[in-house]
Amino acid sequence: MSSVPVLSVRGLTRTYDTATGGLTVLKGIDLDVRPGEIVGLIGPSGSGKSSLLHAAGLLERPTAGEVRIEGEDVGALPEGVRTRIRLGRIGFVYQFHHLLPEFDARDNVALPLRIAGQTPAAARARADELLTALGLADRLTHQPSQLSGGERQRVAVARALANRPRLLLADEPTGNLDPATSQQVFEALHDVVKQTGVAALIATHNMELAGHMDRVFAIRDGHLEERPAESQAY
């Protein structure tokens, strides 16, 4: 495993303005995520998991602290540069898949590649490669309405990986799925992370799945507390 983290945050603080004053949800967070590593974030709703993901994914600027992507300090960069880094080096998976209903699985995954300037043939070849790796070789031309919930979420994972990001951020990626389907989706995600070497930071309420991650941190009162790994890896 590389000694240089894909994601490194130091002293990360996030305070929101509320009607009753400032609400600080992150208080000096330090965290590294390295290539091929799956790091889990657990904690109750409102604890700051999404705030940490948004800061790490350059969707929001923290109140204080440093965010580095592959060693580059990206916190003070102009928004246009941060957008290019986000599009080129970071992939996102959310609780809801957000697939385009009029596109089939292949074209949903190929879309970010086409936006990035790849030819239709190259984009579709990459989409086929990812969907096959995620167990969807026989679903390439199915539209989202023809796919199960777990299949739709795997398409969303493939789309997030389409541009070969170095960092994958997932916010409750199995939150809308039943336990058996959640496990299937996570196993597929786990395997593709290990195969590609992407660094993954995953927020989840699913403690069983969290036990299969390389490291797990709980957010408590704005601070990270590392939890021991208790389950066997896949």
Side-chain angles (χ1 to χ4, degrees), residues 203-215:
T204 184
H205 282 105
N206 189 320
M207 298 303 296
E208 182 177 354
L209 296 186
H212 291 287
M213 299 183 192
D214 297 312
R215 291 185 293 148

Side-chain angles (χ1 to χ4, degrees), residues 67-224:
V67 177
R68 289 183 177 270
I69 303 294
E70 295 185 297
E72 180 181 3
D73 186 352
V74 298
L77 293 176
E79 197 57 43
V81 178
R82 285 164 54 93
T83 298
R84 288 196 295 273
I85 293 172
R86 187 167 62 245
L87 294 175
R89 289 195 260 171
I90 304 172
F92 297 88
V93 182
Y94 298 98
Q95 185 171 351
F96 186 71
H97 54 78
H98 297 296
L99 300 178
L100 297 177
E102 66 273 23
F103 285 7
D104 62 22
R106 172 189 283 146
D107 285 338
N108 263 286
V109 177
L111 182 60
L113 295 160
R114 296 288 294 124
I115 292 172
Q118 291 201 22
T119 66
R124 288 188 169 191
R126 172 65 173 160
D128 289 359
E129 173 191 350
L130 284 166
L131 290 167
T132 298
L134 288 162
L136 296 172
D138 59 346
R139 295 290 189 270
L140 301 177
T141 59
H142 287 58
Q143 291 181 308
S145 62
Q146 299 171 302
L147 300 172
S148 69
E151 289 169 341
R152 289 192 290 267
Q153 201 64 355
R154 278 183 276 168
V155 174
V157 170
R159 182 183 57 190
L161 295 169
N163 277 324
R164 293 182 171 85
R166 300 302 303 134
L167 176 64
L168 179 68
L169 302 172
D171 197 354
E172 300 288 352
T174 64
N176 283 329
L177 306 176
D178 62 79
T181 306
S182 294
Q183 182 172 335
Q184 292 171 1
V185 170
F186 181 76
E187 286 180 5
L189 174 60
H190 175 278
D191 290 347
V192 78
V193 166
K194 296 304 180 181
Q195 291 163 8
T196 61
V198 66
L201 181 61
I202 301 175
T204 184
H205 282 105
N206 189 320
M207 298 303 296
E208 182 177 354
L209 296 186
H212 291 287
M213 299 183 192
D214 297 312
R215 291 185 293 148
V216 179
F217 292 87
I219 300 183
R220 301 294 183 196
D221 191 31
H223 301 282
L224 283 186

